[in-house]
Amino acid sequence: MDVKCWVQDSLSRVYPSTLARSSEGFVCDALRDEEIVVQACVRNESLNVAAVKVFVQSNDFIISRVRREGNVKIPHFTVETPIDELEGFGNIPGFVPDPLFDENFASVGPYETQAFWINIKIDRNASPGNILTKVVFASGDEIINEIDLNILVADIAVEKRHNFPVTHWFYADALCDWYGVNPFEDAFWSIVSPYMSNLVSHGNNCMYVPIFTPPTDGVKRPTQLLGVSRAAENKYRFDFSKVKKWVDLAKKSGADMFEWTHLFSQWGVKNALRIYQDNSDESSLLWDPDTSATSEVYRLFLAEFLPEFYTFLNNEGLLENSIFHISDEPHGDEHLANYRAARSMIAELAPWMKAADALSDIRYGKEGLTDIPIPSIAAAEEYNNAGIPAWTYFCCGPKGRYLNRFVDTPLAKIRMAGWLFYKMNAKGFLHWGYNYWYRSQTRELIDPFNELGSYAWPGFGYGDPFEVYPGVDGPIDSIRWEVFSQSLQDYAILQTLGINPSDEILGDIKSYSDFPKNAEWIINKRKELITNYIK
């Protein structure tokens, strides 16, 4: 059997055509309680199929998980992006590694390369120094190769990230449609739970709560947690029991912040929210979908709902750990006027509600219309220069040299996300696409293993609508999602070490488009942190 084996870092993808590297031992740095990632790679240079299995030798101070890297078909590169900002040249169009399957074995075809993603968690009580283990490659009962893995553990434990919320929009309707369940029946909750846990385990500490059906990205299947019934004309009763169940499940999963549904329509703040008397029956709308955002009927509803909501938030201890939305991505003068009117109405009815919205026009920040502006990374510097504290976001753009998280974005570039957020003083991060498995702006499910752009390329880069794939009993992680999670861990390490964002160690980072984008920088800076900043 002519099989080549090697171990490499997680900062570049391994394609079916990737050629073999050196099979020497692999050395990496880590803190106590950190999770590191390596890739175990196999190149079959024979004429026949090679059946290969990979595992990590057991050790008292590490916990390892091995997953097979699956490939997805990518027909195009992201547009408007220079070749040196892309990964996969020579492989795209073609197969690109992304989903991670819970299998430590594979049948590797002739002249083909297969990689395995290995997460290794360092025990918080591990002694500083070397942890020496082995990555073992086997075929049946035969050991093909054993490669030394030397983990150099620093004498400090990474602490939990704080004061930097991260949220991704979590689509309950996609879970219902993919798994064939009805909203909020017993089977629904058992499906939601592993997705919530997955979000939190990847650094997403702020959980989206669909108290109403989200008014983003088209008209959705109703997934309204709040029970609403008419007591009389323009009088309502509210049942928060399902809201509480969702929040309690999120807390159990480890979430400590909560993000609530936008109160007005997307891209214009033109209409009232679609709210249903029967949570999942779209024929039970309380008003016409074209009802104005500041109409009297909607104002009367909000005047009853918002005090009840306030009471619920206070009783559950959620008020100080919540973010609230008016409308998503308003832009232009007409939207600005609409937003002013809607914000004024909410300020009158609920002065306690602090608005946080994805928007980039600096006028929203300068006028104080939005308490927590969330500009695109392309506009974040303008907010910084104006001295306006802000979160940030990216989505289908900006492309080019800016940070993003597409399937052809170099993994080292994705890994820089946490470093950038830290250096650029972002106060939080939001992304729209955790599990949007739909054709854009429709209710038509896609096969996410075969269509990663919601049929919206070139507007959407492949991988933008979702970070996880639907598995039989829960989410299947993507490589992009894992590397982004590693970047948030880097953020936590910078916090743990008390690094000032203006410290010279971060001096190479200039902006969200001008920053180091190679594995060597990340590896060397981590070594420098461990050498110079850990006493």
Side-chain angles (χ1 to χ4, degrees):
M1 182 184 295
D2 190 4
V3 172
K4 309 295 184 185
C5 307
W6 72 98
V7 174
Q8 67 177 63
D9 58 44
S10 61
L11 296 172
S12 60
R13 293 178 177 86
V14 180
Y15 297 88
S17 63
T18 296
L19 299 179
R21 294 187 181 182
S22 168
S23 60
E24 296 176 0
F26 188 81
V27 181
C28 57
D29 298 290
L31 277 65
R32 291 185 282 114
D33 214 25
E34 183 179 6
E35 183 174 86
I36 62 171
V37 175
V38 297
Q39 296 181 88
C41 311
V42 177
R43 175 73 180 176
N44 179 9
E45 296 184 345
S46 75
L47 301 176
N48 302 306
V49 172
V52 179
K53 179 170 62 176
V54 171
F55 59 92
V56 177
Q57 195 177 67
S58 61
N59 184 290
D60 291 340
F61 296 106
I62 62 173
I63 298 173
S64 62
R65 180 187 185 189
V66 181
R67 287 177 285 179
R68 178 177 64 84
E69 298 182 14
N71 293 296
V72 290
K73 292 181 289 186
I74 301 299
H76 309 287
F77 276 116
T78 301
V79 299
E80 302 168 8
T81 305
I83 192 169
D84 61 317
E85 298 277 349
L86 297 168
E87 192 168 277
F89 188 69
N91 293 284
I92 297 174
F95 288 103
V96 177
D98 199 49
L100 298 173
F101 297 104
D102 265 315
E103 302 168 353
N104 72 333
F105 56 88
S107 294
V108 187
Y111 311 110
E112 179 183 321
T113 300
Q114 174 66 56
F116 297 85
W117 192 264
I118 305 179
N119 298 74
I120 300 174
K121 179 73 172 182
I122 313 301
D123 192 283
R124 190 173 184 86
N125 297 313
S127 300
N130 294 2
I131 295 177
L132 184 61
T133 186
K134 293 181 183 293
V135 178
V136 181
F137 300 80
S139 181
D141 296 329
E142 177 188 356
I143 301 298
I144 302 172
N145 204 338
E146 295 180 329
I147 297 179
D148 288 339
L149 178 58
N150 190 8
I151 306 169
L152 307 178
V153 181
D155 190 15
I156 191 170
V158 60
E159 300 299 335
K160 182 179 178 181
R161 191 187 77 243
H162 58 273
N163 297 331
F164 184 77
V166 174
T167 188
H168 288 72
W169 290 351
F170 180 21
Y171 298 93
D173 56 332
L175 297 186
C176 292
D177 289 339
W178 185 270
Y179 291 97
V181 298
N182 292 318
F184 318 127
E185 64 181 3
D186 289 345
F188 169 84
W189 296 103
S190 64
I191 290 166
V192 168
S193 181
Y195 281 89
M196 285 187 174
S197 296
N198 178 272
L199 277 158
V200 174
S201 70
H202 287 77
N204 192 107
N205 66 310
C206 184
M207 194 68 68
Y208 191 92
V209 186
I211 188 169
F212 301 117
T213 301
T216 52
D217 304 293
V219 178
K220 299 185 179 307
R221 172 180 182 168
T223 48
Q224 173 184 308
L225 285 165
L226 184 69
V228 180
S229 58
R230 289 188 189 274
E233 187 173 356
N234 294 324
K235 296 291 182 182
Y236 305 93
R237 297 189 185 93
F238 304 103
D239 179 359
F240 284 85
S241 58
K242 290 186 178 69
V243 183
K244 177 173 169 50
K245 187 171 183 177
W246 181 282
V247 168
D248 287 347
L249 188 58
K251 287 180 178 178
K252 185 178 178 181
S253 300
D256 55 22
M257 287 193 67
F258 301 89
E259 177 186 13
W260 302 87
T261 311
H262 299 78
L263 291 176
F264 302 91
S265 61
Q266 187 181 34
W267 302 324
V269 210
K270 183 179 179 181
N271 299 120
L273 198 59
R274 292 171 183 257
I275 296 177
Y276 303 88
Q277 183 163 300
D278 183 335
N279 303 38
S280 59
D281 179 6
E282 58 192 299
S283 68
S284 66
L285 273 173
L286 291 174
W287 41 75
D288 187 281
D290 292 326
T291 298
S292 168
T294 53
S295 63
E296 186 65 13
V297 65
Y298 192 45
R299 180 189 179 90
L300 290 170
F301 172 84
L302 291 174
E304 293 213 17
F305 161 68
L306 290 170
E308 296 273 354
F309 187 30
Y310 180 74
T311 299
F312 170 78
L313 293 169
N314 265 329
N315 290 344
E316 297 297 319
L318 301 173
L319 185 59
E320 298 305 316
N321 297 315
S322 288
I323 64 169
F324 309 98
H325 295 307
I326 302 298
S327 178
D328 185 48
E329 291 187 322
H331 48 276
D333 291 343
E334 181 182 348
H335 294 188
L336 179 62
N338 292 348
Y339 194 99
R340 283 193 188 107
R343 185 71 186 96
S344 175
M345 184 169 77
I346 295 299
E348 180 185 338
L349 297 174
W352 49 268
M353 183 176 282
K354 304 300 182 185
D357 279 309
L359 39 78
S360 294
D361 189 330
I362 194 70
R363 290 179 291 180
Y364 290 87
K366 287 184 173 180
E367 292 184 29
L369 291 173
T370 310
D371 300 285
I372 305 172
I374 310 177
S376 161
I377 58 173
E381 190 172 358
E382 187 179 8
Y383 276 80
N384 264 343
N385 292 340
I388 302 172
W391 289 28
T392 195
Y393 80 100
F394 54 71
C395 57
C396 50
K399 301 181 176 73
R401 299 201 179 279
Y402 281 95
L403 174 70
N404 221 305
R405 197 171 53 190
F406 306 131
V407 179
D408 58 4
T409 304
L411 295 184
K413 185 175 179 179
I414 297 174
R415 180 68 180 268
M416 287 299 296
W419 299 78
L420 281 158
F421 299 150
Y422 195 87
K423 167 68 175 183
M424 304 308 294
N425 257 327
K427 304 305 180 186
F429 174 77
L430 177 150
H431 192 271
W432 77 282
Y434 173 65
N435 64 323
Y436 187 79
W437 303 319
Y438 293 102
R439 182 185 288 268
S440 179
Q441 301 295 304
T442 77
R443 297 188 194 179
E444 177 188 340
L445 278 177
I446 59 172
D447 175 359
F449 295 96
N450 286 294
E451 172 50 49
L452 282 80
S454 292
Y455 295 103
W457 181 90
F460 288 2
Y462 290 110
D464 194 49
F466 58 87
E467 306 308 317
V468 295
Y469 299 81
V472 173
D473 53 4
I476 296 171
D477 289 327
S478 69
I479 289 175
R480 296 165 286 121
W481 188 227
E482 287 277 299
V483 173
F484 185 77
S485 174
Q486 285 185 280
S487 87
L488 295 177
Q489 188 174 237
D490 291 339
Y491 187 106
I493 290 171
L494 292 167
Q495 275 191 333
T496 298
L497 299 179
I499 304 300
N500 191 304
S502 62
D503 193 294
E504 64 180 12
I505 198 170
L506 304 178
D508 295 332
I509 300 173
K510 309 298 183 185
S511 70
Y512 284 108
S513 61
D514 183 3
F515 60 93
K517 300 165 186 175
N518 60 81
E520 290 74 22
W521 189 92
I522 296 167
I523 293 167
N524 291 336
K525 285 299 176 183
R526 282 176 53 90
K527 285 182 181 295
E528 187 178 344
L529 284 170
I530 290 170
T531 301
N532 297 339
Y533 292 82
I534 297 178
K535 306 302 182 185

